Amino acid sequence: MTLILFLAALAGLLFVMRRESGAKHAIGVMLVVGVLSLSSSVWLSLLLFVGAAVTAAAGLPQFRMNWLTPRAFAMFKKVAPKVSDTERVALEAGTVGWDGELFTGRPDWHNLLINRHTGLSAEEQSFLDNQCTQAMAMCNSWDLAVERADLPKELWDFLKKEKFFGMIIPKEFGGLGFSAKAQTAVLQKLAANEMLMVTVGVPNSLGPGELLLKYGTDEQKAHYLPRLADGREIPCFGLTGPRAGSDATSLPDTGIVCKQEVDGKEVLGIRLNFEKRWITLAPVATVVGLAFRMFDPDGLLGETEDHGITCALIPRNTDGMEIGRRHCPIGSPFMNGPIKGKDVFIPLDYIIGGQEMAGEGWRMLVECLSVGRCITLPSGAAGAAAYAVGTAGGFTRVRRQFNTPVAEMEGVQAPLARIAGKTYIAQAAVNHTANMIDKGEKPAVPSAILKYHLTEFQRDILTDAMDVHGGKAVTLGPRNYLGIGYSSTPVSITVEGANIMTRSLMIFGQGAIRCHPYVLKELAAKDNDDIKAFDEAFFGHAGLVFGNAARAFTQALSIGKADVPFDSASRKFAQALARFSSAFGLCADAAMTTLGGELKMRELLSARLGDMLANLYLGSMVLKNWHEAQPVEGEKELMEYSMTLLLHRTEQALDEFLKNLPSRPVAIALRVITLPIGRCWAEPSDKLTSKLARAISTDTPLRSKLMAGAWTTEGEGDVPNPVAQYNSLLKDYNKAEQLYRKANKAYAKGELPMTALHPEERFEAALEAEVFSQEEADFMRQYEALVLEMLTVDDFPFDEFARNKGTLIAHNPA
């Protein structure tokens, strides 16, 4: 009887904790069970009464405010980390949406599903189908990257004429006024060519256009926005330099407020000295956005001497500015270069937003970056992934070894399935996050998640695609459609916040305070010395900790699974995400409590917590995509593969966090709560792997859906589209495969000459032996000719690669 009552009390308390019902309900459970225990177990009854008394003292505001809250507040003031002004700006930038739900441990799925992805407008879809297709048809990757290291003039003119650089600029200023969804769709399609994607993406991302829209004066908008929209002005933005990369707040570039005579008049302005590098479009830019540290030592503007980071717009031909030299970005030499300036004088009205925006540059940059980082590089990654589906799937089906397509080999199927799964995740994440932006959100933490994880996916996908192509992809030349994009992948990894820093510092570091339901409120109460606000936030936080512990423990044991609004195919994955959301929230609080301010320096722990949050976010996007879309044949298996992969990664990050948390007693307790029966999410099964590999290497609805946003139409003139060529081959593959087998079977029986080793010879021999009909022979001649073209690699004259022909050695003189 005592055991039954004890279990009843435990179950009742877990139920109250799971629901975060508050101290009164917990006290009620203990008092009721305590009274029932009086006749069977005095000790259990006493224990429950003491527990009820302690809970009342600590949990009821009217009691704790007199003794516990003041002591807790005093201790919190001592241990709470200090938030610098630059950190505060970053924390306050953007909005909190679904990422905040994941921090609660009890995500409300209706808040995610309420805003459906409604697709593109007719105008946006037309631009995607026509102008984007035409732009791609003008891109020969080898010609652009190797022969000219630039886009051809006719393509530059086309991009300007069709306003590719004005996608974000409203129609009232002459731009296209596209939605975020349309921008990401355009960049996904253009991603088949890295140079084109970057050239179009950057002016529509972090740059003068967006800064002007949000902060520019009316005069600045009226002058610059129409000119940026139609390409009369090409912008760049100078932020990073030799000593300011990831730590952009430590800019050494200065602007000193001073007076200078201009055209016979004394003008109040700024004298700039700066050195920037890695600035995309700088070599061809006509207007330069510049970030610098602004000082007013002579008090010409007032009493403030150090105004802080400021942003200004400077015409290219301004005296003292050196611009035009180029860097050579690895793999894809898009326009990128240094900018220097010595004693460059600009009037005050060059400041974006005018004089009143002096010193507001860091806030401006952070707020713009939270949107731009969600779109440009993640869209490029998703687009490159779709292109890899088309090429890797097609190549492995037509490439035969041991008389079978290599796509049927399990060793090849594993990377093909990874390509499919990560492409599906990337597309879901970037499309649905763009939809959030269109609904008014400025997702700061998701922008870091997408930037890091999708560019890492891009690197993984292109590595897998290179591997399954073998020699076809490692031999550079006009026929190599992967090598240039693969070699340029480190650019995406490095720019807009290096991935190492993004993972180890930004995702969880920013999210822990920005997205947590209570931490920001506790810090605000500390700063305002508001004990009442602290009491409400601190003990709400305590309730959250107990609630997450109860939810994580019971759901890990499959007790009281979360109620989720998904179908039978996806429900278990949503319930697993809810369980890991509770585990993540509990671990995040444990790390912040045990490490305090030291957590900033424990980057590996922060990275693992960030990995958990990121995989939960990506999994949510996959589930939302599945919930809203009309699934095609095979998509259920793709969703299962993707979710299994993400949950495996989530659990792995949790396990590694627990293994490395310095406080071992806390780590052990957390393991008992969050992984009471150990790890249960393995990597996707071989069966799923095989199904997905076949689906993307044959002409299936799933392959078509994954490539729906990619460039799949045949090129024009000298610009063939390998994806279109593979699609054509795959449409005829079933017929061709039957004839391959027919010819090989006849050869094995000795019906064809032993010397008929080449496929072409075997087909001709099969026609002569009447194994093939004339129609079958004609079909296989054409089919095999295209296959051979897709397998062929380029070769060059001996002296082709020597820039200085005088250094050539005559190894075999005549």
Side-chain angles (χ1 to χ4, degrees):
M1 186 63 182
T2 301
L3 179 60
I4 294 174
L5 289 170
F6 173 77
L7 292 176
L10 181 61
L13 290 173
L14 284 173
F15 180 79
V16 169
M17 290 164 61
R18 277 173 55 98
R19 296 173 61 87
E20 296 179 36
S21 300
K24 291 181 179 179
H25 291 84
I27 294 167
V29 169
M30 287 185 278
L31 288 177
V32 169
V33 180
V35 171
L36 294 175
S37 302
L38 285 172
S39 60
S40 59
S41 176
V42 176
W43 290 107
L44 177 59
S45 181
L46 180 61
L47 177 64
L48 291 172
F49 288 151
V50 170
V54 171
T55 303
L60 298 178
Q62 57 268 38
F63 293 129
R64 67 176 181 240
M65 281 291 289
N66 294 324
W67 71 282
L68 182 57
T69 300
R71 290 170 174 78
F73 196 28
M75 182 176 293
F76 183 80
K77 289 179 179 179
K78 293 179 181 179
V79 301
K82 293 183 178 180
V83 180
S84 67
D85 290 340
T86 54
E87 288 176 317
R88 188 174 299 281
V89 169
L91 289 172
E92 293 174 354
T95 58
V96 176
W98 182 247
D99 44 332
E101 290 284 346
L102 293 172
F103 259 89
T104 66
R106 53 180 192 281
D108 185 348
W109 292 96
H110 295 284
N111 288 338
L112 177 67
L113 302 179
I114 192 172
N115 291 320
R116 296 181 63 87
H117 190 295
T118 54
L120 306 181
S121 68
E123 179 186 6
E124 292 169 338
Q125 188 64 51
S126 175
F127 187 88
L128 195 67
D129 294 338
N130 295 290
Q131 284 90 331
C132 289
T133 298
Q134 188 172 345
M136 283 305 310
M138 299 167 75
C139 285
N140 181 307
S141 295
W142 180 258
D143 174 59
L144 268 57
V146 178
E147 302 293 346
R148 67 174 71 235
D150 193 1
L151 304 180
K153 183 180 185 303
E154 57 268 24
L155 181 51
W156 276 108
D157 292 343
F158 179 77
L159 296 177
K160 294 175 182 178
K161 173 177 173 290
E162 299 297 336
K163 302 183 179 180
F164 276 82
F165 301 130
M167 286 194 291
I168 67 169
I169 296 175
K171 292 183 178 181
E172 64 190 273
F173 293 108
L176 294 175
F178 277 179
S179 65
K181 295 191 295 289
Q183 294 170 49
T184 191
V186 168
L187 295 178
Q188 285 182 69
K189 190 156 193 174
L190 301 187
N193 186 280
E194 175 80 7
M195 190 182 296
L196 177 61
M197 192 282 293
V198 171
T199 301
V200 171
V202 168
N204 289 287
S205 179
L206 176 63
E210 189 172 9
L211 292 170
L212 282 169
L213 275 173
K214 295 183 178 180
Y215 310 107
T217 64
D218 291 340
E219 292 80 6
Q220 290 171 338
K221 291 178 181 179
H223 175 75
Y224 276 113
L225 289 179
R227 300 171 66 84
L228 290 170
D230 62 20
R232 281 175 289 167
E233 300 279 8
I234 298 295
C236 70
F237 194 87
L239 177 61
T240 56
R243 292 183 172 84
S246 296
D247 185 12
T249 59
S250 298
L251 291 174
D253 309 294
T254 59
I256 307 298
V257 179
C258 62
K259 293 180 179 180
Q260 182 167 312
E261 188 173 300
V262 178
D263 296 332
K265 296 181 180 179
E266 188 176 65
V267 177
L268 182 62
I270 306 168
R271 182 176 294 112
L272 297 166
N273 285 280
F274 55 89
E275 182 177 2
K276 305 291 187 180
R277 63 184 179 194
W278 305 308
I279 311 305
T280 298
L281 294 184
V284 297
T286 61
V287 60
V288 177
L290 191 77
F292 58 91
R293 187 82 171 267
M294 180 172 162
F295 297 94
D296 182 16
D298 298 327
L300 298 177
L301 299 180
E303 297 180 358
T304 302
E305 182 174 346
D306 182 358
H307 284 268
I309 296 175
T310 302
C311 296
L313 276 180
I314 308 172
R316 180 189 182 95
N317 58 3
T318 301
D319 290 341
M321 186 158 65
E322 298 179 34
I323 186 172
R325 292 185 64 83
R326 294 182 66 173
H327 299 309
C328 184
I330 186 170
S332 179
F334 58 87
M335 288 296 168
N336 187 279
I339 311 174
K340 297 180 182 179
K342 183 172 178 59
D343 294 333
V344 177
F345 182 80
I346 62 171
L348 284 175
D349 59 9
Y350 278 17
I351 295 174
I352 296 176
Q355 180 179 332
E356 58 266 31
M357 293 301 290
E360 296 295 322
W362 179 235
R363 177 173 64 85
M364 294 160 63
L365 292 171
V366 169
E367 289 180 352
C368 287
L369 195 62
S370 68
V371 173
R373 285 206 310 171
C374 275
I375 294 178
T376 303
L377 292 177
S379 300
Y387 190 69
V389 167
T391 54
F395 177 85
T396 55
R397 182 54 57 181
V398 303
R399 172 65 166 164
R400 302 176 71 85
Q401 295 286 273
F402 312 108
N403 286 327
T404 188
V406 298
E408 293 300 317
M409 299 177 180
E410 289 189 351
V412 174
Q413 288 179 343
L416 285 178
R418 290 195 296 265
I419 290 172
K422 290 179 179 178
T423 299
Y424 191 64
I425 297 167
Q427 291 176 343
V430 76
N431 292 337
H432 288 282
T433 304
N435 185 60
M436 292 178 186
I437 294 171
D438 286 332
K439 302 298 183 182
E441 293 190 31
K442 298 177 182 179
V445 173
S447 76
I449 291 173
L450 265 60
K451 195 279 169 180
Y452 171 78
H453 285 274
L454 267 57
T455 56
E456 291 292 340
F457 277 8
Q458 178 183 3
R459 174 155 61 179
D460 295 343
I461 288 168
L462 292 180
T463 297
D464 279 335
M466 290 286 291
D467 287 352
V468 300
H469 275 81
K472 166 70 177 178
V474 299
T475 306
L476 286 176
R479 289 182 173 90
N480 189 330
Y481 43 74
L482 277 180
I484 291 172
Y486 168 78
S487 59
S488 65
T489 303
V491 174
S492 298
I493 299 296
T494 302
V495 301
E496 289 194 14
N499 275 13
I500 290 176
M501 296 294 103
T502 301
R503 175 176 181 255
S504 59
L505 291 176
M506 294 184 64
I507 295 176
F508 180 75
Q510 188 175 20
I513 297 177
R514 185 75 179 94
C515 301
H516 196 285
Y518 295 106
V519 169
L520 206 58
K521 296 177 182 178
E522 291 167 340
L523 292 174
K526 174 181 75 76
D527 293 340
N528 298 327
D529 199 28
D530 187 342
I531 192 170
K532 185 176 181 180
F534 173 79
D535 176 84
E536 183 177 342
F538 182 79
F539 288 97
H541 191 164
L544 178 67
V545 171
F546 284 113
N548 279 335
R551 285 187 291 268
F553 180 70
T554 55
Q555 290 174 14
L557 297 175
S558 298
I559 300 172
K561 292 182 178 179
D563 183 23
V564 295
F566 291 96
D567 63 13
S568 58
S570 58
R571 185 175 298 119
K572 68 175 183 179
F573 300 114
Q575 290 171 335
L577 284 182
R579 169 207 161 188
F580 283 121
S581 172
S582 296
F584 163 72
L586 182 64
C587 289
D589 280 318
M592 288 188 284
T593 301
T594 58
L595 292 170
E598 185 187 346
L599 183 56
K600 281 185 181 180
M601 302 295 105
R602 303 303 295 263
E603 295 176 18
L604 294 177
L605 287 175
S606 178
R608 291 171 182 124
L609 289 167
D611 289 345
M612 289 183 67
L613 175 62
N615 284 297
L616 293 173
Y617 182 85
L618 296 176
S620 303
M621 298 301 104
V622 171
L623 291 177
K624 185 175 190 293
N625 187 69
W626 169 261
H627 180 77
E628 294 182 5
Q630 293 295 322
V632 299
E633 181 183 353
E635 190 172 351
K636 176 176 176 288
E637 289 78 8
L638 181 56
M639 181 273 292
E640 290 175 353
Y641 182 101
S642 302
M643 289 305 305
T644 301
L645 176 65
L646 290 170
L647 289 166
H648 170 75
R649 286 158 54 102
T650 303
E651 194 171 56
Q652 182 174 329
L654 170 60
D655 183 40
E656 292 176 356
F657 168 80
L658 296 175
K659 287 177 179 176
N660 290 277
L661 187 65
S663 176
R664 298 316 301 156
V666 173
I668 293 170
L670 288 174
R671 184 173 290 278
V672 170
I673 293 170
T674 61
L675 297 172
I677 57 174
R679 293 178 59 174
C680 60
W681 285 97
E683 291 188 277
S685 69
D686 292 351
K687 184 177 180 180
L688 276 177
T689 294
S690 179
K691 286 184 177 180
L692 293 189
R694 289 194 175 97
I696 70 164
S697 63
T698 53
D699 182 26
T700 64
L702 184 62
R703 173 182 164 88
S704 298
K705 186 168 187 175
L706 285 174
M707 295 190 302
W711 179 45
T712 57
T713 52
E714 186 55 81
E716 300 175 359
D718 297 328
V719 188
N721 181 354
V723 174
Q725 292 172 307
Y726 281 126
N727 285 348
S728 177
L729 284 169
L730 294 186
K731 287 185 183 301
D732 292 330
Y733 167 73
N734 288 333
K735 180 179 179 179
E737 180 62 23
Q738 291 176 0
L739 295 176
Y740 277 126
R741 291 177 181 176
K742 191 175 182 180
N744 292 339
K745 185 177 180 180
Y747 181 81
K749 288 181 176 181
E751 297 174 3
L752 306 181
M754 293 180 61
T755 55
L757 299 177
H758 284 287
E760 295 87 349
E761 296 171 341
R762 199 164 290 183
F763 302 151
E764 297 304 325
L767 177 61
E768 288 186 23
E770 297 184 350
V771 174
F772 276 6
S773 67
Q774 186 65 52
E775 186 274 332
E776 289 173 334
D778 291 342
F779 170 80
M780 288 308 293
R781 287 190 193 108
Q782 296 176 9
Y783 188 87
E784 192 63 25
L786 182 53
V787 168
L788 184 60
E789 173 59 28
M790 302 311 292
L791 302 182
T792 299
V793 298
D794 299 285
D795 53 68
F796 302 87
F798 178 76
D799 63 351
E800 178 76 12
F801 309 123
R803 293 181 66 183
N804 181 357
K805 307 300 183 184
T807 64
L808 286 168
I809 300 171
H811 291 281
N812 297 290

